[in-house]
């Protein structure tokens, strides 16, 4: 047999959100934090026009998209690094610091790809338990050693939806050594409405060891095309660009992302619709008797413990796919009003049956 890395024997594959269907054919996929809306007509038109050039390789440097992002956020183009989805940019970050003996600190539970990326990069994960549903930043600061090269802070956190406020985050950053990179993973930033939750780009401008990770997969509705980006001081962005594979961001993805930035005002209307539904769903769940933490993302979190698998199966029987996490809880994406109503009906029925 060919010989492979021993770490592969201990790794579980990433589990994407699945779709389900009720006996009557109803199917609502609330398991993957996708936008429930089709791409805007102007974005579809740009993709269709771009399809005429797919016989050619994409721009390997994604120059036009890089410039568009730099202009949108008023940062130097040299501070932008791109990848096929923010999870791949995160992988590039892990590879940029990955050496024997290196440690990377992050909260747990948080984005489930972090442990996989750490293992593949050959670094040691230092997983700091959440304090309830929130990051325990004091414990994370105490977990930093002279072997720590990077810290991931998912804000808002996936899967709990909770967000860290300004004073707490700034106090934490003050405690982190300057040679430790802090990555603010802000995949859900566009859904944040709490004014006390800081924009990571403000912090990045003030601190040379802060990087911000974002995506076009959520609010921009381009999950199927995979575009993520990093904004960071130039030495960080340069290191990340060195780890990208050639032609990583495909031609249509680059075109669609640029078109989405141009149509941002229209996209924000859709984001507001999701935020409105998020509030409605959370309030309805609380009225039913559920405990639901405040959320600044496009999903809600129910900590169910050992009831988690049973609840997920009950929702599936009604054609609603939710995302179970072992014996911890379920994450439920905000979908269309119809999909959300189907979930609320399933959740209410589950409580009544207990």
């Amino acid at each position: 047999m060919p010989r492979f890395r021993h770490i592969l024997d201990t790794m579980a594959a990433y589990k994407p959100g699945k779709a389900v269907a009720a006996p009557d054919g109803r199917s609502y996929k609330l398991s993957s934090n996708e936008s429930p809306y089709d791409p805007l007509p102007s974005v579809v038109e740009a993709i269709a026009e771009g399809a005429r050039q797919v016989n050619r390789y994409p721009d390997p440097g994604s120059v036009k998209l890089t410039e568009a992002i730099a202009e949108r956020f008023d940062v130097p183009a040299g501070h932008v690094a791109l990848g096929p989805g923010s999870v791949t940019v995160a992988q590039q970050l892990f590879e940029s610091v990955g050496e024997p003996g290196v440690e990377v600190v992050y909260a747990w539970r948080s984005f489930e790809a972090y442990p996989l990326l750490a293992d593949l990069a050959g670094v040691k994960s230092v997983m700091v338990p959440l304090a309830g549903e929130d990051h325990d930043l004091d414990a994370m600061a105490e977990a930093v050693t002279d072997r720590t090269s990077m810290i991931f802070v998912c804000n808002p956190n996936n899967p709990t939806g909770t967000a860290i406020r300004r004073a707490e985050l700034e106090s934490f950053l003050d405690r982190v050594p300057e040679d430790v990179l802090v990555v603010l993973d802000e995949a859900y930033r566009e859904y944040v409405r709490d004014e006390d939750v800081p924009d990571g780009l403000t912090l990045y401008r003030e601190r040379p060891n802060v990087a911000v990770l974002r995506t076009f997969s959520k609010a921009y509705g381009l999950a199927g095309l995979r575009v993520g980006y990093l904004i960071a001081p130039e030495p960080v962005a340069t290191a990340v660009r060195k780890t990208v594979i050639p032609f990583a961001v495909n031609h249509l993805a680059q075109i669609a992302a640029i078109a989405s930035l141009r149509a941002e005002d229209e996209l924000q209307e859709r984001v507001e619709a999701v935020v409105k539904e998020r509030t409605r769903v959370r309030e309805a769940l609380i009225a039913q008797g559920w405990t639901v933490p405040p959320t600044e993302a496009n999903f809600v979190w129910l900590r169910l413990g050992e009831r988690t698998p049973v609840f997920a199966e009950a929702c599936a029987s009604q054609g609603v796919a939710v995302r179970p996490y072992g014996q911890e809880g379920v994450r439920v994406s905000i979908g269309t009003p119809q999909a959300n109503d189907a979930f609320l009906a399933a959740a209410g029925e589950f409580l009544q049956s207990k």
Side-chain angles (χ1 to χ4, degrees):
M1 288 289 291
R3 292 188 294 273
F4 298 102
R5 294 173 61 193
H6 294 302
I7 191 68
L8 299 181
D9 296 330
T10 66
M11 292 177 60
Y14 176 83
K15 296 180 180 179
K18 66 178 183 178
V20 299
D24 62 5
R26 289 181 302 154
S27 181
Y28 303 105
K29 188 167 181 273
L30 303 180
S31 55
S32 292
N33 294 346
E34 301 154 326
S35 170
Y37 302 108
D38 296 339
L40 290 170
S42 61
V43 177
V44 173
E45 183 178 348
I47 293 171
E49 180 63 28
R52 299 176 185 275
Q53 293 90 41
V54 295
N55 58 308
R56 304 294 184 184
Y57 284 111
D59 172 10
S62 303
V63 173
K64 291 182 180 179
L65 176 54
T66 297
E67 292 174 346
I69 292 171
E71 180 180 357
R72 164 64 180 84
F73 296 106
D74 191 23
V75 301
H79 288 207
V80 179
L82 292 164
S86 61
V87 65
T88 306
V89 183
Q91 181 181 21
Q92 293 166 229
L93 282 160
F94 275 95
E95 291 175 352
S96 298
V97 304
E99 289 182 333
V102 164
E103 296 178 350
V104 175
V105 176
Y106 52 87
W108 196 253
R109 177 173 290 273
S110 192
F111 182 35
E112 64 184 292
Y114 295 158
L116 300 176
L117 300 180
D119 288 347
L120 286 172
V123 303
K124 179 182 177 182
S125 287
V126 179
M127 304 163 76
V128 179
L130 295 174
E133 311 299 354
D134 302 305
H135 279 66
D136 188 340
L137 292 183
D138 286 337
M140 290 179 69
E142 292 170 2
V144 174
T145 71
D146 58 4
R147 297 180 297 277
T148 306
S149 285
M150 186 166 64
I151 303 170
F152 263 79
V153 178
C154 191
N155 197 35
N157 187 46
N158 177 15
T160 61
T162 53
I164 305 165
R165 291 179 170 82
R166 186 180 313 279
E168 185 183 8
L169 185 54
E170 290 181 343
S171 177
F172 168 73
L173 292 172
D174 288 342
R175 297 176 62 182
V176 176
E178 292 183 356
D179 62 347
V180 175
L181 177 63
V182 180
V183 181
L184 302 179
D185 189 346
E186 295 188 339
Y188 304 95
R189 173 65 203 176
E190 291 83 3
Y191 298 103
V192 173
R193 293 297 176 270
D194 185 340
E195 294 182 357
D196 201 27
V197 176
D199 183 332
L201 292 179
T202 301
L203 300 172
Y204 130 85
R205 297 178 198 276
E206 303 168 350
R207 300 172 185 263
N209 66 329
V210 170
V212 179
L213 190 59
R214 292 189 180 174
T215 182
F216 284 90
S217 293
K218 311 302 181 187
Y220 290 90
L222 300 182
L225 286 177
R226 315 301 299 128
V227 191
Y229 61 97
L230 177 87
I231 296 178
E234 191 160 8
V236 179
T238 298
V240 171
R241 285 194 295 269
K242 288 179 179 179
T243 64
V244 69
I245 62 172
F247 309 111
V249 183
N250 75 68
H251 176 64
L252 296 182
Q254 293 183 40
I255 287 174
I258 293 170
S260 294
L261 287 172
R262 292 171 178 166
E264 202 166 40
D265 289 343
E266 293 177 82
L267 285 167
Q268 285 304 316
E269 293 178 9
R270 293 180 170 189
V271 172
E272 287 301 327
V274 171
V275 170
K276 183 178 179 179
E277 277 295 287
R278 177 182 74 190
T279 300
R280 182 178 76 88
V281 169
R282 180 170 182 263
E283 290 178 351
L285 288 169
I286 292 172
Q288 288 180 358
W290 297 98
T291 298
V292 190
T295 173
E296 294 294 328
N298 67 333
F299 53 84
V300 295
W301 169 253
L302 299 176
R303 186 169 289 280
L304 297 169
E306 62 183 13
R307 295 185 298 165
T308 297
V310 178
F311 179 81
E313 290 175 6
C315 289
S317 70
Q318 301 298 316
V320 180
V322 299
R323 185 67 174 271
Y325 289 83
Q327 300 285 319
E328 296 177 61
V330 297
R331 186 195 69 197
V332 187
S333 304
I334 301 300
T336 63
Q338 182 181 21
N340 299 332
D341 286 343
F343 164 67
L344 289 171
E349 184 176 321
F350 182 85
L351 277 183
Q352 294 173 5
S353 67
K354 297 302 173 183

